[in-house]
């Protein structure tokens, strides 16, 4: 992939250790992680030229709204102007609601070449030298923060066209373009490798579930406690998984997850040809997997004493996750324990010391809009800002609630004002919340990896809800008529599954009798 992208860009990549160019004379703007988290983060400080451009409206010296064309002009640097970095991040994040990234890149390239006459072979070299570092800085920020936009060949072609104009006849700029291209190609290559690894992990998990269906006793012989009985170590490995999966979520995925057709546009949705928010979805799937894994581990043991020990173990894992700042794994574990097949095991819970679990549930109590959790999150965030060690920097939010907050922000405010202008005040707030996430996801996990534990957490067989109910009823019998009816129904399905498996031991039976195949597929999906 790296070779393909390099050829597409038409550049020679520099060595891996090449130091960055323009470190001193490139336009420097404050990092969005610091500025977006302050009350005045949305003040545009570099407006000397763009103030006069028609179509931008300010309120209390803050950019409040504007036409799409005016906002694009505000993004493009000139010889005496460079946009504030917070504006760059906010506009690149939100603009995809109104224009496809490759279309925006085309417009940016056109403005750069037309305004600065970069397409003119006789262009003044002094002016080019003055504007080139600023354009390269803008492109660098775009490729670093929104790398996934450049999986589109149309983006890469526009990038190649503009950087080629900047690099003509100047070795310094050629090296700068090479550095930028090298960084982009590496990020996209790593992304592809990560996505391929996820496919392999999911395939392995599916194979192990199939093996358990064939030999159910194998699942009982191997559980989490047989792999590792130290809650702190398991919490550390969960944190490894969380931080890795967080790191691959692009900021644009939050916007693309909520995109809808703009009522003022007659054309179809801007995102009809955009990639899905696949890394965001994979992270949500991980939360669900962990919840079901916890429930599976609790429901599988035959002996009540063993089940109680598993419950207490995961309570301790959840507590360690809270101490680390891993709120997502904490909530997944609590969710697994609160699933009906687990919560109905009254005899098991009677053997558990629940004081620690009650405290954790109180911390994640959804009442008052998760007030207790939000207080704890603010504390973890403050600890991260003033951290003296890498362990103190870890903040892994309860992701579903973060998505919910962004969803309600998106739904609660219009993208456009009645005038037709883009409501940029809304997007300042969206960028503020997303930028906080961007700071959290950059934290390197300080804990040593344990491959055996990681492999188990990612690929151990996980039961469906119906299979969990059946295991739960086998452990502690049904207590009322509704539970008895459900148990009978599930037991009947399991009996049918066994018979069908025996009857369809050869592929011939499956092919010859379509009814058998239909029943077989239905029950396999169930269990």
């Amino acid at each position: 992939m790296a070779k393909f992208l390099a050829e597409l860009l038409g550049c020679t990549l520099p060595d891996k250790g090449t130091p960055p160019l323009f470190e001193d004379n490139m336009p420097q703007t404050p990092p969005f992680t610091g500025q977006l988290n302050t009350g005045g983060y949305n003040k545009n400080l570099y407006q000397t030229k763009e103030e006069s451009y028609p179509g931008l409206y300010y309120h209390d010296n803050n950019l409040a709204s504007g036409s799409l064309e005016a906002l694009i002009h505000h993004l493009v640097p000139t010889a005496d102007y460079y946009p504030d970095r917070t504006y760059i991040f906010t506009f690149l994040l939100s603009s995809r609601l109104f224009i496809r990234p490759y279309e925006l890149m085309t417009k940016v390239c056109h403005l750069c070449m037309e305004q600065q006459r970069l397409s003119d072979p006789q262009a003044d070299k002094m002016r080019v030298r003055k504007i080139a570092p600023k354009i390269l800085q803008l492109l660098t920020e775009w490729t670093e923060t929104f790398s996934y936009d450049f999986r589109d060949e149309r983006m890469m072609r526009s990038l190649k066209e503009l950087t080629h104009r900047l690099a003509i006849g100047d070795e310094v700029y050629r090296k700068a373009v090479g550095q930028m291209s090298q960084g982009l190609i590496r990020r996209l290559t790593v992304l592809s490798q990560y996505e391929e690894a996820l496919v392999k992990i999911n395939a392995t998990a599916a194979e192990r579930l199939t093996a358990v269906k064939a030999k159910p006793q194998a699942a009982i012989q191997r559980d989490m406690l047989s792999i590792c009985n130290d809650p702190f170590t398991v919490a550390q490995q969960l944190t490894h998984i969380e931080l890795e999966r967080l790191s691959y979520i692009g900021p644009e995925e939050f916007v693309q997850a909520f995109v809808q057709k703009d009522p003022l546009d007659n054309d179809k949705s801007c995102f009809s040809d955009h990639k899905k928010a696949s890394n965001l979805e994979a992270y949500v799937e991980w939360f669900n997997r962990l919840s079901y894994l916890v429930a599976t581990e609790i429901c599988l043991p035959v002996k009540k004493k063993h089940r109680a020990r598993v419950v207490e173990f995961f309570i301790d894992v959840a507590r360690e996750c809270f101490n680390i700042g891993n709120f997502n794994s904490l909530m997944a574990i609590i969710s697994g324990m609160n699933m009906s097949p687990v919560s109905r095991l009254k005899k098991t819970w009677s053997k558990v010391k629940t004081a620690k679990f009650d405290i954790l549930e109180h911390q994640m109590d959804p009442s008052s809009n998760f007030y207790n959790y939000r207080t704890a999150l603010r504390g973890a965030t403050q600890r991260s800002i003033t951290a003296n060690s890498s362990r103190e920097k870890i903040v892994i939010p309860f992701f579903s609630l973060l998505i919910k907050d962004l969803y309600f922000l998106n739904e609660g405010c219009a993208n456009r004002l009645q005038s037709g202008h883009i409501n940029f005040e809304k997007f300042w707030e969206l960028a503020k919340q997303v930028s906080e996430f961007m700071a959290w996801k950059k934290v390197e996990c300080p804990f040593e990896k344990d491959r055996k534990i990681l492999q188990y957490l990612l690929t151990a067989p996980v039961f469906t809800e119906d299979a969990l109910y059946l295991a739960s009823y086998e452990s502690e019998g049904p207590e009322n008529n509704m539970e008895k009816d459900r148990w009978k129904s599930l037991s009947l399905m399991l009996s049918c599954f066994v018979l069908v498996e025996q009857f369809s031991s050869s592929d011939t039976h499956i092919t010859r009798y379509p009814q058998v195949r239909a029943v077989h597929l239905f029950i396999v999906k169930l269990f």
Side-chain angles (χ1 to χ4, degrees):
M1 181 178 180
K3 184 178 179 181
F4 166 75
L5 292 173
E7 290 174 351
L8 189 61
L9 282 169
C11 63
T12 302
L13 300 184
D15 295 334
K16 197 169 184 178
T18 307
L21 299 168
F22 303 128
E23 197 164 52
D24 296 324
N25 58 358
M26 286 281 279
Q28 298 299 309
T29 51
F32 60 79
T33 51
Q35 203 171 5
L36 280 173
N37 290 331
T38 66
Y41 75 96
N42 56 353
K43 293 180 180 178
N44 282 273
L45 306 178
Y46 309 98
Q47 297 164 7
T48 54
K49 179 179 181 297
E50 297 293 317
E51 275 180 331
S52 59
Y53 190 85
L56 294 179
Y57 292 88
Y58 291 82
H59 179 69
D60 292 336
N61 204 35
N62 296 333
L63 180 58
S65 67
S67 66
L68 180 60
E69 287 300 319
L71 292 170
I72 294 173
H73 273 268
H74 198 51
L75 176 70
V76 178
T78 64
D80 56 356
Y81 164 79
Y82 188 77
D84 180 56
R85 192 174 186 183
T86 59
Y87 175 77
I88 295 173
F89 177 76
T90 303
F91 183 69
L92 292 180
L93 176 70
S94 59
S95 62
R96 60 199 67 239
L97 288 168
F98 311 98
I99 184 173
R100 294 173 177 87
Y102 81 89
E103 293 173 332
L104 175 61
M105 174 60 83
T106 300
K107 286 181 176 290
V108 168
C109 290
H110 174 76
L111 286 173
C112 287
M113 287 195 280
E114 290 301 313
Q115 287 183 356
Q116 304 306 316
R117 299 193 297 279
L118 296 179
S119 56
D120 181 4
Q122 305 301 320
D124 180 40
K125 288 187 177 181
M126 288 299 295
R127 189 180 70 254
V128 172
R129 286 175 181 171
K130 198 172 181 182
I131 185 64
K134 296 180 180 180
I135 296 175
L136 285 173
Q137 172 74 358
L138 174 66
L139 295 176
T140 298
E141 294 195 35
W142 196 338
T143 57
E144 286 181 355
T145 310
F146 298 93
S147 304
Y148 303 167
D149 285 349
F150 294 85
R151 300 184 93 176
D152 188 329
E153 288 186 16
R154 294 167 294 189
M155 287 285 291
M156 297 296 277
R157 290 193 185 97
S158 293
L159 180 65
K160 175 184 176 181
E161 180 183 0
L162 182 54
T163 54
H164 176 71
R165 295 291 182 185
L166 295 173
I168 288 177
D170 197 311
E171 183 64 24
V172 174
Y173 296 145
R174 270 200 296 271
K175 288 182 179 179
V177 168
Q179 284 187 352
M180 179 187 68
S181 302
Q182 182 185 46
L184 174 61
I185 291 168
R186 284 177 182 161
R187 282 186 290 276
L188 294 180
T189 302
V190 170
L191 172 63
S192 295
Q193 292 170 345
Y194 166 73
E195 290 173 344
E196 291 169 5
L198 281 186
V199 171
K200 291 179 181 178
I201 288 171
N202 293 335
T204 302
E207 289 171 4
R208 293 190 175 181
L209 183 58
T210 302
V212 168
K213 291 174 185 176
K215 294 182 179 180
Q217 64 275 15
I220 301 174
Q221 294 171 358
R222 193 165 183 253
D223 60 9
M224 186 73 249
L225 285 174
S226 69
I227 302 296
C228 178
N229 60 6
D230 178 19
F232 184 51
T233 301
V234 173
Q236 290 178 332
Q237 301 313 302
L238 288 172
T239 303
H240 263 295
I241 296 171
E242 298 278 356
L243 286 174
E244 180 187 49
R245 299 208 170 190
L246 276 182
S247 69
Y248 288 99
I249 298 175
E252 72 281 358
E253 294 192 51
F254 292 102
V255 174
Q256 290 174 187
F258 306 133
V259 70
Q260 294 178 351
K261 179 176 169 61
D262 190 328
L264 294 182
D265 290 338
N266 295 322
D267 197 5
K268 57 185 179 180
S269 170
C270 288
F271 286 96
S272 59
D273 63 346
H274 277 201
K275 80 174 185 66
K276 293 181 179 178
S278 57
N279 298 304
L280 188 150
E281 291 169 2
Y283 190 52
V284 172
E285 288 169 4
W286 154 249
F287 179 94
N288 294 334
R289 173 183 167 77
L290 180 54
S291 295
Y292 274 86
L293 176 62
V294 170
T296 301
E297 293 282 322
I298 294 171
C299 290
L300 266 182
V302 176
K303 294 182 179 180
K304 175 175 57 180
K305 184 178 180 181
H306 189 185
R307 289 197 300 274
R309 188 161 72 248
V310 174
V311 171
E312 290 183 337
F313 173 77
F314 277 109
I315 290 173
D316 288 337
V317 173
R319 184 179 64 172
E320 295 298 344
C321 286
F322 178 82
N323 292 336
I324 289 172
N326 181 357
F327 297 105
N328 201 56
S329 288
L330 164 63
M331 193 60 180
I333 293 171
I334 292 176
S335 297
M337 290 184 171
N338 282 329
M339 290 179 68
S340 296
V342 177
S343 62
R344 65 167 298 278
L345 298 173
K346 295 178 182 177
K347 294 178 182 178
T348 301
W349 282 97
S350 68
K351 300 293 182 182
V352 175
K353 297 176 182 177
T354 59
K356 290 183 286 186
F357 185 65
D358 293 339
I359 293 173
L360 293 173
E361 278 201 309
H362 177 71
Q363 288 291 340
M364 305 303 288
D365 184 359
S367 62
S368 301
N369 194 20
F370 286 88
Y371 176 81
N372 294 336
Y373 158 71
R374 293 182 189 278
T375 301
L377 181 65
R378 283 195 296 272
T381 302
Q382 188 59 39
R383 179 186 68 181
S384 176
I385 294 171
T386 60
N388 295 317
S389 68
S390 55
R391 287 180 58 173
E392 294 176 332
K393 291 181 180 179
I394 297 172
V395 181
I396 303 173
F398 173 28
F399 197 67
S400 294
L401 187 59
L402 174 61
I403 294 295
K404 178 184 173 184
D405 290 343
L406 293 173
Y407 174 80
F408 281 112
L409 171 61
N410 182 64
E411 290 296 303
C413 301
N415 289 341
R416 293 183 187 267
L417 303 177
Q418 289 183 345
S419 63
H421 280 196
I422 291 172
N423 180 9
F424 216 74
E425 287 183 314
K426 168 184 175 176
F427 297 119
W428 286 128
E429 184 59 34
L430 177 66
K432 181 179 179 181
Q433 293 191 34
V434 174
S435 69
E436 190 170 42
F437 165 82
M438 294 288 287
W440 294 334
K441 80 167 193 164
K442 289 182 178 179
V443 173
E444 295 283 340
C445 189
F447 308 121
E448 186 177 350
K449 283 188 176 181
D450 188 309
R451 299 290 178 183
K452 190 175 181 181
I453 299 174
L454 289 172
Q455 184 76 358
Y456 186 84
L457 290 169
L458 291 169
T459 63
V462 172
F463 284 3
T464 64
E465 187 175 7
D466 284 325
L468 285 172
Y469 267 114
L470 190 58
S472 180
Y473 293 144
E474 292 293 338
S475 298
E476 296 184 20
E479 296 183 345
N480 53 53
N481 290 332
M482 186 175 71
E483 287 190 345
K484 289 177 182 178
D485 290 341
R486 183 163 195 171
W487 185 31
K488 289 177 183 177
S489 176
L490 292 173
S491 298
L492 178 61
M493 287 184 180
L494 181 60
S495 299
C496 291
F497 174 73
V498 173
L499 289 173
V500 171
E501 282 292 299
Q502 293 174 351
F503 185 71
S504 61
S505 56
S506 70
D507 293 337
T508 305
H509 290 101
I510 293 290
T511 306
R512 188 177 300 171
Y513 302 103
Q515 294 87 351
V516 172
R517 182 175 182 275
V519 173
H520 176 266
L521 291 175
F522 171 74
I523 298 177
V524 166
K525 185 177 180 181
L526 177 65
F527 292 99

